[in-house]
Amino acid sequence: HAVGSKVGEVLLYYCYCEVRDPEKLCAWQKALCEHLHLTGKVRVASEGINGTVGGSKVATSLYIKVMLSQPLFKNILCREDFKSSAGGAHCFPDLRVGVFKEIVPMGIDPKIVSYKETGIHLSPQEFHREVEQYLSQATQGQSDTILLDCRNFYESKIGHFQGCLAPDIRKFSYFPSYIDENLELFKDKRVLMYCTGGIRCERGSAYLRSKAVCREVYQLKGGIHKYLEEFPDGFYRGKLFVFDDRYAICSNEDIVSACRYCGVLWDQYKLCSSQHCRQLVLTCPSCCNKGLTACCPVCQEKELKVTSRASGQTLKEECECTRRRPRVPIEHVSPRMLDTGK
């Protein structure tokens, strides 16, 4: 159908505010998205709303208009809070709108660590200057700053800021434990945090600040998304991972990751070919053609077994990747050992 095939866009936004009746907001939001034929995911909670939706350009611009005029978000949400990229309704399998405890799943009660205790927001320009300064100091081995990626390992693997510390964690809900286990590392440091669109930093910085060990905590306002709009060839190298069927969006031609099998530069994810595994795998076209399509040998084996199995039997999501990875890594780096290479 012609309507769906036109290039549309995907919007990413969040708004922290007091929501008295999350159920009511949820129903309104669902009706709005359905009316505009938008697909995607929207999380509603008593602490606000977080969404990523796709549709035609007409639909997304109407959506922004309506969102900005909604009394709940008035004076809090503004046009700049919507990050957009090329895409459309086809980027998501369906529309999911639901009520949750947190609008970003960190696993810490918002009453205990509130978004109100967040770090200092830096504009992309300010952040760029900070990173520039950090990188020049780090090469002389005398930096008091940590550039912290708040995302998951599979996100930072295909794109990140030069010289960043990227935790090897699988979910944002492991981030608080990561901070707890590595508190020494952050002692008396200035921390520059970043994530995709800024939302994980809101809670992540609040959590880090609650530990009272850092000298200062800063965060990139609008996330990598907004940074790349201003500095497509800045200090962020590689692709930007997105949580939809596109997997990644690109601002520069750099490839910073490699094929899991042959090591050739490659950064386009596919889902592991083993039916019940949800891991993403980097496997280049030539390795794919050789049938190397699973995330690890365990899954590759499992796939062969599954085809000969009676249907109806399900396999637990268990593979070498999930078994080998510690939930929360302990860092043994002095920050000056961090890779500041271009």
Side-chain angles (χ1 to χ4, degrees), residues 298-334:
V298 174
C299 276
Q300 199 78 52
E301 276 296 296
K302 205 156 66 172
E303 199 188 353
L304 302 172
K305 285 197 196 101
V306 161
T307 33
S308 59
R309 253 195 165 155
S311 64
Q313 266 188 297
T314 57
L315 285 163
K316 191 173 166 291
E317 181 203 330
E318 182 66 52
C319 68
E320 205 176 290
C321 309
T322 49
R323 267 208 301 262
R324 274 207 330 246
R325 161 166 287 101
R327 265 182 69 136
V328 178
I330 313 286
E331 299 293 353
H332 300 291
V333 289
S334 69

Side-chain angles (χ1 to χ4, degrees), residues 65-83:
K65 232 186 204 137
V66 176
M67 290 297 283
L68 293 177
S69 64
Q70 153 69 255
L72 264 177
F73 311 135
K74 254 196 153 136
N75 310 324
I76 311 173
L77 198 57
C78 64
R79 184 72 191 74
E80 279 64 62
D81 292 324
F82 290 86
K83 297 113 206 166

Side-chain angles (χ1 to χ4, degrees), residues 151-163:
R151 300 171 303 155
N152 306 325
F153 77 90
Y154 52 86
E155 298 174 81
S156 54
K157 192 185 215 164
I158 60 165
H160 50 255
F161 274 96
Q162 286 163 234

